[in-house]
Amino acid sequence: MNHLLTMDQLSNRMIYSLLENAGRMKRGEQKTWKGRFAANLFLEPSTRTRQSFHVAERRMQMEVLEMEAEQSSLLKGESLYDSVRTLEAIGTDILVIRQSERDSLQELSECKGISIINAGDGTGEHPTQSLLDLFTIYEEFGCFKGLTVTIAGDIKHSRVARSNAYALKQLGAEVQFSSPDEWKEPGKTYVTMDEAVASSDVLMLLRIQKERHDWEGDIPDYLTDYGLTKERERRMKSHSIILHPAPVNRGVEIDSALVECQKSRIFTQMNNGVYMRMAIIDELMGGKHNENNKCVPMERELFATM
Ligand code: CP
């Protein structure tokens, strides 16, 4: 694997390999890419993805370049492609990038010397979120076949929904959706939230992507009509779990009291995000170089010791 841009590039075999590797990292296995360079470029706001990549990179002893868009030459009109080629030319191994335009990272896959990780491309995909969600589900149930997963909320604008729907189906889960009519996408199976709580093993809630449309609805009505209320939570299956990629809008898609309830794995997802991102970086670095790291250029070895 040279880049991670979309979930449809990953076979089940690769997904399971990442899940197993993330599990080993969580159990304390150390993998280091000491002296190698990772750059994080976030052109849209982020707390979890950006900081968990930073933690993952530092835990693997990488040198981290935190790029600020407003301090970069993107502001002088340099194209994203030329900026990435520049990072590649100066020896950056990994580029984690979030930006607002869907599918615009494909052209960067021509860059062979640097591995691009899609940290969210508008309404397109969010593969690292999907993989950490899969890790959280796998940790809980040890399988995907036979599980019913409901993805609920702003389906039309959610990159998390897109990545997860694809991957979960490929892995054999039953995937259904729950959404207000205006955010439904055609060709999907929809249930009401009342039906969702009764049938789901995994209930994945989504934030309303207000930055991508002009929603002016009534928040208490949204919770009552489409969200997870305390009353609905009581009707969930005993073994079922609640996921949410966060940030959470408490009292909108979920009652505030449920964010840290016994069924919630929301903060576990964030914790798992660090290990999954370590596994992804390790896979990409391993793909660029042989497993014994023998092809590290001499100047890099020298630089690492300075
Ligand atoms: N889940 C997620 O992508 O969160 P951030 O926007 O805070 O990175």
Side-chain angles (χ1 to χ4, degrees), residues 7-21:
M7 287 306 285
D8 68 4
Q9 74 178 81
L10 301 182
S11 63
N12 283 354
R13 189 188 172 99
M14 175 57 77
I15 291 173
Y16 280 113
S17 167
L18 288 167
L19 296 176
E20 295 296 336
N21 203 4

Side-chain angles (χ1 to χ4, degrees), residues 42 45-50 98 119 126 129 159-160 207 244-247 277:
F42 280 71
S46 170
T47 297
R48 274 146 293 276
T49 312
R50 182 171 192 156
R98 169 174 290 187
H126 196 347
Q129 178 69 46
R159 54 198 177 202
V160 177
R207 179 178 67 86
H244 191 312
R277 286 169 176 133

